[in-house]
């Protein structure tokens, strides 16, 4: 029921505030200038922006959904993560070090 967000422009919009209010979701803002309040999401947001948002043109909402879903699958099933021994996250679910097919 709570989403932890930073002070980025994508998280302080009226539209997001309205969306959260209508769904009973609390937006928990980290302190300005304190990215260590939520280091995991800061790292994820940086990777998502650099590897997905900054590398694609989105021609429509469906195109954006498709490209983001493709990135999400790669991020979770193929891409190695240094925090978990250079394995993809899916390997933790499978109990192995090998990635499964997306």
């Amino acid at each position: 029921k709570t989403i932890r967000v930073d002070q980025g422009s994508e998280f302080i919009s009226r539209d997001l505030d309205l969306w959260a209010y209508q769904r009973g979701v609390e937006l928990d803002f980290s302190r300005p200038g304190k990215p260590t309040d939520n280091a995991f999401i800061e790292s994820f947001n940086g990777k998502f922006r650099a590897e997905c948002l900054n590398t694609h043109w989105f021609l429509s909402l469906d195109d954006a959904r498709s490209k983001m879903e493709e990135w999400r699958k790669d991020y979770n099933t193929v891409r190695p993560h240094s925090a978990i021994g250079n394995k993809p996250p899916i390997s933790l679910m499978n109990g192995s070090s090998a990635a499964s097919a997306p």
Side-chain angles (χ1 to χ4, degrees):
K1 291 289 181 179
T2 301
I3 299 175
R4 182 83 186 239
V5 296
D6 63 17
Q7 300 287 330
S9 58
E10 64 272 30
F11 298 119
I12 58 172
S13 70
R14 281 187 231 148
D15 289 339
L16 179 62
D17 191 46
L18 180 60
W19 174 90
Y21 176 77
Q22 290 172 340
R23 287 160 180 79
V25 173
E26 177 186 354
L27 298 177
D28 181 15
F29 289 92
S30 59
R31 297 172 295 165
K34 301 290 183 182
T36 55
D37 280 355
N38 196 350
F40 168 76
I41 201 61
E42 290 295 325
S43 175
F44 175 81
N45 285 346
K47 288 175 179 70
F48 182 59
R49 180 168 302 286
E51 297 171 11
C52 185
L53 299 179
N54 289 349
T55 60
H56 295 290
W57 285 95
F58 301 114
L59 305 174
S60 66
L61 186 54
D62 284 338
D63 182 48
R65 285 180 178 141
S66 174
K67 288 174 180 168
M68 285 188 257
E69 178 62 10
E70 186 177 318
W71 182 85
R72 185 194 66 80
K73 285 181 180 177
D74 180 73
Y75 184 84
N76 287 318
T77 63
V78 177
R79 185 182 182 280
H81 294 242
S82 61
I84 56 173
N86 289 316
K87 297 182 280 189
I90 193 70
S91 68
L92 298 177
M93 299 288 294
N94 294 339
S96 72
S97 60
S100 14

